[in-house]
Structures are given as C-alpha cells and as structure tokens.
Amino acid sequence: MEHLTGSMCPSCETEDSMAMEVQQAAHDPQLINIVVICCICGTRFNEFVDVNNMEVLGE
C-alpha cells in the first residue's frame, strides 16, 4: 500500500491517514481497481478506472 500524503479521510476527517492499493480488476483486464483505505477508521473507498479512458503521458 502506498501512503497518500496530505489526503484527508472523508469519513473521520483525519489528515494523512489514507493509503492506496492499485491492481488489475479480476473481472475485466482493461479495468484498474483503486482501493483507498483510512488507516485510522478503516473506511474503504473503491473506484474502477478503464485503462482506455486514461490520459497518455508519453510513448
């Protein structure tokens, strides 16, 4: 998990408490599953991002 510096948990409003984990979605290889967890209150946030909709930064 990667610590998210400066982020605030929307649930408990604690600053610098969020960590992020990113992996390929099990049900679709074109989706990336982003999970953000508050290390203080344990609240989990989840979002699926389609790789095809991401901005290309360089080739």
Side-chain angles (χ1 to χ4, degrees), residues 6 16 21 23 27-28 39 43 51 57:
D16 287 333
E21 180 178 284
Q23 56 191 318
H27 64 280
D28 185 341
C39 299
T43 302
V51 175
L57 297 179

Side-chain angles (χ1 to χ4, degrees), residues 42-54:
T43 302
R44 298 172 64 91
F45 303 89
N46 177 255
E47 182 73 30
F48 288 98
V49 177
D50 188 327
V51 175
N52 296 314
N53 294 334
M54 296 177 77

Side-chain angles (χ1 to χ4, degrees), residues 6-25:
S7 61
M8 181 184 298
C9 175
S11 185
C12 70
E13 299 184 349
T14 303
E15 193 170 335
D16 287 333
S17 64
M18 306 297 283
M20 177 179 64
E21 180 178 284
V22 178
Q23 56 191 318
Q24 183 179 10

